[in-house]
């Protein structure tokens, strides 16, 4: 996963958030599909390597999460 190559401890928002955005924004339709478990699978995988909730707490860009129109 490209995220793990770019975001390493100590985790910094300046490098980790853009890397997370590059990964997540490629799959917006799938992640936002309430009928799939894509978001759960993605965060389950991410939480194996990063502190739980780190990206949620540090990388949100507003009430709707990420702004994938500006990548």
């Amino acid at each position: 996963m490209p995220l793990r190559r770019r975001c390493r401890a100590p985790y910094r928002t300046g490098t980790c958030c853009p890397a997370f955005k590059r990964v997540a924004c490629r799959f917006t339709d799938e992640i936002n599909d309430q009928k799939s478990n894509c978001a759960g699978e993605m965060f389950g995988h991410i939480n194996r390597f990063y502190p739980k909730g780190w990206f949620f707490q540090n990388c949100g860009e507003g009430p709707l999460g990420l702004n994938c129109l500006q990548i």
Side-chain angles (χ1 to χ4, degrees):
M1 179 180 248
L3 179 61
R4 290 180 57 206
R5 280 189 295 237
R6 293 181 176 96
C7 181
R8 298 178 181 261
Y11 308 119
R12 302 195 193 295
T13 56
T15 54
C16 291
C17 292
F20 174 69
K21 190 173 180 174
R22 276 192 290 276
V23 171
C25 287
R26 291 187 332 200
F27 302 102
T28 15
D29 291 337
E30 293 85 355
I31 291 169
N32 291 325
D33 183 356
Q34 297 292 319
K35 296 176 186 169
S36 78
N37 189 30
C38 184
E41 291 286 330
M42 180 184 75
F43 282 109
H45 179 76
I46 288 172
N47 289 338
R48 290 176 33 214
F49 301 100
Y50 298 96
K52 187 175 182 178
W54 192 92
F55 293 97
F56 174 77
Q57 293 170 1
N58 294 286
C59 299
E61 297 176 323
L64 299 177
L66 298 176
N67 180 357
C68 290
L69 298 176
Q70 298 177 351
I71 299 178

